Amino acid sequence: MEQAQTLSGRRVIVTGGGVGIGLGVVRQLAAAGARVALTTHSRSADEVVTALAGEGLEVIGARLDATDSAAVNAVVDDLAGRLDGLDVVVNNAGGLLARHRFAEMSDEHWDAVWRVNVSSVFYVSRAALRHLGEGGRIINIASLAGKNGGGNGSGAYATSKAAVDGLTRALAKEVAADGITVNSIAPGLILDTPFHETFTPKADQEKTIASIPVARPGYPADVAAAVEYYARLDSGFVTGTVLDLNGGVHFS
């Protein structure tokens, strides 16, 4: 069965769209009829675009270090031009980088985590606001860690993701009168992603899965389905929210 074209004609930029959750979001939105541009830092954008073309999904892409303010401005403007406008931005770029306890954490690590998870959202959202108008959507990928403090050694990450939720609410208030909504999604354990393949040992994954009330981990498609809803025009009365997407492990 073909996916309903709920986003037909919607013009979308997804940051961090080359792997994991971001790639799942790109697939979902493109299949729903959106015109999608992705950015990627860890993988060749051309490689991703070509692979998706092989799946029957036509997208465009660009390389972007989302922690570089000037680069963000240039790439967002370029992609919005290539899309003939912009309706939706998904701020997915981010990462844990490494696990460090606060007592041993360097200034450099703290700053790097903040830049990749918070400054990137600010830079991309600010650049996008030059193009977004009535019906515009900003969707931020936060984390359960921002609510429960995260796991061992992820304090900087958890703090930064809590900041994303605060940024979401502040920006939602600021742009509501312009017809633009801003929402966050806070995923729990999402497998088939480089994040957990790199930073979460199998034993820890299994322990977490055993604690999930719905009795399974999440996958990129679970996050992508929520992103699709927020990206739709008929979601316009929902703004400033942080959606818990964790299988029932945590309720706000």
Side-chain angles (χ1 to χ4, degrees):
M1 180 182 295
E2 290 188 5
Q3 183 173 337
Q5 298 290 288
T6 57
L7 300 178
S8 182
R10 299 282 272 166
R11 299 157 298 183
V12 182
I13 294 175
V14 180
T15 68
V19 296
I21 289 173
L23 183 56
V25 168
V26 169
R27 285 192 173 106
Q28 178 91 10
L29 303 192
R35 297 175 60 195
V36 181
L38 65 88
T39 74
T40 180
H41 186 243
S42 62
R43 188 178 172 193
S44 162
D46 289 343
E47 174 189 329
V48 180
V49 168
T50 299
L52 290 171
E55 300 174 18
L57 300 173
E58 185 177 343
V59 305
I60 62 174
R63 189 182 187 282
L64 176 64
D65 176 355
T67 70
D68 182 331
S69 176
V72 167
N73 288 334
V75 170
V76 169
D77 286 350
D78 175 64
L79 293 177
R82 293 166 66 188
L83 292 170
D84 298 318
L86 185 62
D87 301 297
V88 181
V89 169
V90 182
N91 282 305
N92 172 71
L96 177 65
L97 303 188
R99 294 190 184 274
H100 294 292
R101 294 173 59 85
F102 280 113
E104 294 85 32
M105 190 182 300
S106 68
D107 294 352
E108 290 75 17
H109 176 74
W110 174 267
D111 291 343
V113 172
W114 191 267
R115 288 196 305 274
V116 75
N117 291 317
V118 186
S119 296
S120 66
V121 174
F122 165 58
Y123 295 153
V124 173
S125 298
R126 181 180 60 184
L129 286 170
R130 295 197 293 270
H131 304 279
L132 295 173
E134 180 75 29
R137 304 284 184 261
I138 297 174
I139 304 160
N140 302 322
I141 305 302
S143 173
L144 172 59
K147 300 189 170 207
N148 69 7
N152 183 42
S154 65
Y157 177 78
T159 303
S160 69
K161 288 299 189 177
V164 170
D165 293 341
L167 187 158
T168 295
R169 295 181 177 115
L171 184 56
K173 287 184 174 182
E174 187 171 297
V175 300
D178 300 317
I180 300 169
T181 67
V182 189
N183 293 285
S184 283
I185 298 170
L189 180 68
I190 307 296
L191 297 187
D192 290 349
T193 62
F195 183 105
H196 288 296
E197 291 168 2
T198 303
F199 296 111
T200 309
K202 286 290 185 184
D204 290 346
Q205 292 181 22
E206 292 168 2
K207 181 179 178 181
T208 299
I209 293 167
S211 73
I212 298 175
V214 302
R216 71 167 178 87
Y219 295 96
D222 294 306
V223 183
V227 172
E228 181 190 333
Y229 168 71
Y230 280 129
R232 286 161 37 177
L233 273 171
D234 60 0
S235 70
F237 199 59
V238 181
T239 195
T241 68
V242 180
L243 175 66
D244 293 319
L245 202 153
N246 54 53
V249 168
H250 176 89
F251 303 107
S252 295

